[in-house]
Amino acid sequence: MRLSSLHLVHFRSYASCDLAFPARYNLFTGANGQGKTNLIEAIYYCSALRSFRAHNAQDCIQHGRPFFHLQAEWEDDAVRHDLAIHHAPSGRTIRLDQKPLPSARRHARRFPVLFLSPQDTALAWGAPALRRDWFDRLLSLMKDSYGETLASYEKTLRQRNRELKQGGTGELWNGPLAEAGCRLVNARRSFLAAVRTRFQAAFHRFFEPGEAVGDLAYLIRHDEDRGPEPLDEARFLERLASCAARDRATATTGFGPHKDDFAFLLGDRPVREHASQGQTRLFVYALQWTVHEYLARALGRRPILLVDDIFSDLDEKRTQLLFEGLREAPQVFIASANEVLVRAWLGDYERFEIRGGSAQAMARPVHVLE
Amino acid sequence: MASLFTKVLFALRRIPGVGPTSAERMAFHFLSMKEEDFSFLLGTIRDFREKTKLCPVCGLVSEYSPCRICADPARSERLLCVVKDVQDAFRVEKSRAFKGKYHVLGGLVSPLETVREEDLSIDRLATRVASGVDEILFAFEQSVESEVTIKAVTRRLSAFGDVRYSRLAVGIPSGAGLEHLDAETLKTAVENRTPLTAKGAVKAP
Ligand SMILES: [Zn+2]
């Protein structure tokens, strides 16, 4: 599975741009602010069907234009598939091989990508919502039913909170909330249990022997001391009841997976409080490689890697480890101003020089052979 | 000043399902109609609007009071089909699978759309149950709002008599309203309706 071409119209800084990707390794290079990351974003969009940074896809439309259009050619088992995305404020259409796309999630599973960026360290030090979103996205990608349960849980939660705001008890919504909530909590916990050993192994590859052990744990807010047994609806309802007075006072719901957290631990201490910047970065890399491996097994195919400038500050041993991981991917796209590293480690790659300047300049990449 | 033609297009396009092309075709059709045909069309629409009222018993729209379904002695009083709105009642009726009477609730509980339990016609339903009902079929779409509404209704009715509750057979896509079902599918869903447990608790499939 690979991406063989990409055509952008009115996407971010690009008025119009045509790219062919015959090679496995691809480097988008050029000075900062020229639109390297925009290309990575466009490729991501062609898999996930949304952006990794814009909550509103409207933000991806080039300034002053009425729409953006992306056309990608995916290759799967030597068969080519045409993806066409047209996005306007009035709505979007997505067609695969000239037919309306039946399921966005199935598409993302068929053409999976994994996005790696220096900003991912926020996963370790950022708010719990960041971690929940990251893991939820991952679990939804692997299983449709998780995404559906999540959507139903979030709707029920909004209904309950609105009823509380209107002066009600919210109590009618407790049953459906507990049912969906337990399924989410238990799915998240079994996922962590399944990747934990792999994560520890990946962690060991990046860290010196004798350094603390990296670990992941699931924290149920207001039920922190819970053992490994699954959360059941009776327990969920009991915890919900114990928050009832506070819930009514604040018109929010105090218990449930929307309050839980994924703990990143060094030994038994939170990474956020006890790890150095370098350790934090390596911790997150280790997690990403674990997920990469896990996705590859779960989907039966390795994701394409989209790398947004992450290599500048690692020592040689760790840089080597990272590039070893990159080499296993079916295709890699790197956006980096630091070409020396890529040349040293990947050797053979296709180079795209990005010169944007004003949006008027067409930002057409010049393909330079060396 | 907008021309009369523009005004009539504007008015027609406010009818659900009428787009710009059909609005134009209708407008030109009005011009080409015979005077008596046109008067008949206008008169019928006016009559329909003036004489159609909500049935005081079930909440369906009808020119009779009570409506013909409520007045039909061949239909059982003891079997009620609870629907969220009049349109869903017509959908169930078109499937020809249901031989009881209807009760229009007036919505599903949804704080996000400011529909509260008190806004639904549950009290009127309770009165009907008190005078003798064996089974209530909830003909709702699959959604969390439906489940919560069923719970609210069964809880309020528990004091008014011993009623069996059922819901449309599963197989209705979750989140899809009854308008997405053809008459045949709806018929099967009514005929194979699933009983609810005594508590009125319902599980998603
Ligand atoms: Zn009636």
Side-chain angles (χ1 to χ4, degrees):
Chain A
M1 184 266 309
R2 53 197 303 288
L3 181 71
S4 40
S5 75
L6 179 66
H7 175 63
L8 300 78
V9 180
H10 303 331
F11 188 88
R12 296 277 186 191
S13 54
Y14 295 88
S16 168
C17 174
D18 259 309
L19 298 163
F21 305 118
R24 188 165 175 197
Y25 306 128
N26 300 276
L27 175 70
F28 301 135
T29 188
N32 284 331
Q34 300 296 297
K36 298 192 296 289
T37 304
N38 298 349
L39 286 180
I40 295 280
E41 185 181 24
I43 297 174
Y44 183 89
Y45 202 113
C46 290
S47 162
L49 305 178
R50 45 177 197 75
S51 165
F52 50 70
R53 55 179 169 183
H55 281 291
N56 190 344
Q58 240 85 287
D59 299 348
C60 297
I61 301 176
Q62 190 183 22
H63 186 70
R65 299 298 180 166
F67 64 86
F68 74 71
H69 186 79
L70 293 175
Q71 204 153 347
E73 194 171 51
W74 287 103
E75 215 175 293
D76 187 18
D77 281 335
V79 182
R80 296 193 159 200
H81 298 281
D82 283 312
L83 175 76
I85 301 166
H86 187 86
H87 186 106
S90 56
R92 71 172 187 178
T93 52
I94 303 175
R95 300 176 81 81
L96 186 67
D97 298 326
Q98 285 80 51
K99 287 192 280 288
L101 190 75
S103 154
R105 282 199 204 99
R106 221 173 306 147
H107 177 81
R109 273 201 295 270
R110 187 175 182 194
F111 306 107
V113 299
L114 190 66
F115 172 64
L116 309 171
S117 138
Q119 272 132 45
D120 290 342
T121 49
L123 262 186
W125 51 257
L130 266 177
R131 287 181 285 283
R132 286 193 299 265
D133 285 351
W134 194 77
F135 280 98
D136 280 345
R137 216 175 270 180
L138 198 61
L139 285 156
S140 304
L141 175 63
M142 288 189 296
K143 250 191 165 174
D144 278 351
S145 61
Y146 187 89
E148 283 155 16
T149 308
L150 183 66
S152 146
Y153 180 83
E154 286 171 345
K155 177 88 186 288
T156 311
L157 187 66
R158 283 201 304 278
Q159 291 281 25
R160 187 179 194 270
N161 290 345
R162 182 63 65 88
E163 192 183 305
L164 288 164
K165 199 170 273 171
Q166 292 163 358
T169 61
E171 177 257 335
L172 267 177
W173 303 91
N174 290 4
L177 196 73
E179 195 192 324
C182 284
R183 277 196 261 159
L184 293 182
V185 170
N186 294 330
R188 287 172 176 180
R189 297 211 315 170
S190 6
F191 175 72
L192 276 198
V195 299
R196 189 166 169 234
T197 323
R198 284 163 180 278
F199 168 74
Q200 287 172 339
F203 183 89
H204 270 293
R205 283 174 49 199
F206 281 111
F207 284 77
E208 303 297 340
E211 281 184 87
V213 182
D215 207 351
L216 301 166
Y218 191 74
L219 294 181
I220 302 181
R221 179 113 178 264
H222 296 306
D223 202 3
E224 279 85 355
D225 300 327
R226 186 164 190 82
E229 74 277 8
L231 182 65
D232 59 39
E233 286 176 39
R235 177 70 177 165
F236 197 110
L237 290 171
E238 184 193 312
R239 299 314 302 164
L240 216 45
S242 76
C243 297
R246 203 204 61 109
D247 282 2
R248 270 202 298 279
T250 58
T252 58
T253 298
F255 183 77
H258 65 289
K259 286 286 180 186
D260 295 350
D261 197 4
F262 295 80
F264 289 15
L265 302 168
L266 218 50
D268 51 6
R269 287 142 48 112
V271 166
R272 168 167 35 168
E273 289 156 33
H274 296 281
S276 70
Q277 241 183 38
Q279 283 174 320
T280 307
R281 200 155 308 161
L282 289 176
F283 191 101
V284 172
Y285 288 161
L287 179 63
Q288 283 168 329
W289 292 123
T290 311
V291 163
H292 180 208
E293 290 293 315
Y294 191 88
L295 269 181
R297 272 194 324 139
L299 305 178
R301 54 186 56 199
R302 286 185 172 278
I304 288 176
L305 295 179
L306 306 178
V307 183
D308 193 19
D309 223 355
I310 55 172
F311 303 109
S312 41
D313 55 349
L314 294 179
D315 62 23
E316 182 161 337
K317 178 198 144 193
R318 283 155 177 152
T319 308
Q320 183 183 353
L321 279 171
L322 273 173
F323 276 100
E324 273 170 20
L326 289 188
R327 283 199 206 99
E328 287 172 28
Q331 204 176 13
V332 180
F333 295 88
I334 303 173
S336 177
N338 186 348
E339 188 169 358
V340 180
L341 255 180
V342 180
R343 190 180 300 144
W345 291 101
L346 283 182
D348 196 17
Y349 60 93
E350 200 85 350
R351 176 183 193 275
F352 300 88
E353 198 170 312
I354 316 296
R355 290 195 208 110
S358 78
Q360 208 48 34
M362 303 283 278
R364 192 176 184 84
V366 182
H367 183 203
V368 184
L369 285 175
E370 287 188 292
Chain B
M1 274 297 276
S3 71
L4 278 173
F5 183 64
T6 313
K7 273 167 86 176
V8 82
L9 290 186
F10 175 77
L12 287 170
R13 286 196 55 189
R14 298 175 71 168
I15 301 172
V18 177
T21 319
S22 22
E24 261 176 46
R25 274 168 53 196
M26 274 192 238
F28 285 121
H29 180 67
F30 293 155
L31 293 180
S32 68
M33 280 171 99
K34 276 194 260 168
E35 181 56 40
E36 66 210 73
D37 290 346
F38 186 68
S39 307
F40 176 73
L41 173 68
L42 276 191
T44 311
I45 292 176
R46 185 167 293 282
D47 251 18
F48 170 70
R49 191 180 141 87
E50 277 171 4
K51 295 188 182 146
T52 302
K53 300 274 179 299
L54 291 187
C55 168
V57 181
C58 69
L60 285 179
V61 289
S62 170
E63 61 199 278
Y64 305 99
S65 179
C67 72
R68 277 176 150 176
I69 291 177
C70 283
D72 186 349
R75 304 183 69 124
S76 169
E77 297 272 359
R78 307 193 70 89
L79 173 59
L80 294 185
C81 176
V82 174
V83 287
K84 73 167 194 287
D85 56 27
V86 174
Q87 291 177 47
D88 275 358
F90 274 98
R91 289 180 184 114
V92 175
E93 189 57 15
K94 263 202 279 191
S95 81
R96 296 168 171 276
F98 184 70
K99 299 284 176 260
K101 296 189 172 172
Y102 291 93
H103 189 89
V104 179
L105 216 45
L108 297 174
V109 178
S110 174
L112 290 171
E113 292 154 284
T114 55
V115 180
R116 298 162 306 166
E117 205 178 323
E118 306 89 278
D119 300 326
L120 308 179
S121 65
I122 305 181
D123 285 337
R124 203 148 40 78
L125 180 60
T127 323
R128 298 180 79 182
V129 167
S131 54
V133 167
D134 296 330
E135 182 183 344
I136 288 181
L137 162 65
F138 293 102
F140 292 164
E141 68 225 31
Q142 295 251 342
S143 69
V144 65
E145 291 75 18
S146 300
E147 311 232 341
V148 161
T149 306
I150 291 176
K151 196 171 170 199
V153 170
T154 52
R155 197 171 57 179
R156 288 268 293 282
L157 293 185
S158 60
F160 291 87
D162 201 13
V163 187
R164 275 179 289 125
Y165 297 107
S166 56
R167 71 183 306 173
L168 292 179
V170 292
I172 300 175
S174 158
L178 299 194
E179 66 268 31
H180 299 292
L181 302 180
D182 58 59
E184 198 51 40
T185 313
L186 201 48
K187 184 167 183 261
T188 319
V190 172
E191 282 166 354
N192 303 316
R193 55 187 183 269
T194 347
L196 303 183
T197 58
K199 292 187 324 202
V202 271
K203 293 270 174 202

